[in-house]
């Protein structure tokens, strides 16, 4: 899924996230795309859900990766 605004001129300058497939967006680009969507196309529920779902998946994965690491001076979490 490419997240290009539908009425945009294909030769105009776009934000980097506007021409990348969803899976290739960075977390920051996902956040920027969600902000854009909220301001300019709040009725596009399908795109909003796709962006929000990918953002949630990535942030949850990052949380779990960092939760497994012990903080300096703290004991390592047990499972």
């Amino acid at each position: 899924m490419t997240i290009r605004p539908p009425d945009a001129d294909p030769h105009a300058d776009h934000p980097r996230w506007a021409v990348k497939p969803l899976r290739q967006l960075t977390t920051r680009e996902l956040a920027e795309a969600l902000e854009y969507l909220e301001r300019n196309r709040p009725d596009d529920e399908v795109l909003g859900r796709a962006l929000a779902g990918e953002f949630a998946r990535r942030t949850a994965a990052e949380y779990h990766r960092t939760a497994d690491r012990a903080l300096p001076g703290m004991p390592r979490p047990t499972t």
Side-chain angles (χ1 to χ4, degrees):
M1 169 182 280
T2 302
I3 309 168
R4 181 186 319 234
D7 57 344
D9 176 11
H11 302 292
D13 289 330
H14 298 291
R16 290 177 57 139
W17 56 261
V19 294
K20 292 170 81 174
L22 182 62
R23 293 277 182 181
Q24 292 180 0
L25 294 174
T26 65
T27 305
R28 180 179 296 219
E29 290 170 335
L30 283 167
E32 289 175 11
L34 282 165
E35 289 176 16
Y36 170 86
L37 193 63
E38 184 177 311
R39 283 192 314 268
N40 298 294
R41 296 176 55 195
D43 58 334
D44 193 341
E45 291 182 28
V46 173
L47 182 54
R49 286 180 186 186
L51 288 169
E54 184 65 15
F55 187 79
R57 185 187 69 76
R58 299 236 190 122
T59 54
E62 181 62 26
Y63 173 79
H64 289 293
R65 272 195 302 273
T66 58
D68 290 341
R69 289 187 228 143
L71 298 174
M74 300 291 290
R76 185 167 187 84
T78 59
T79 6

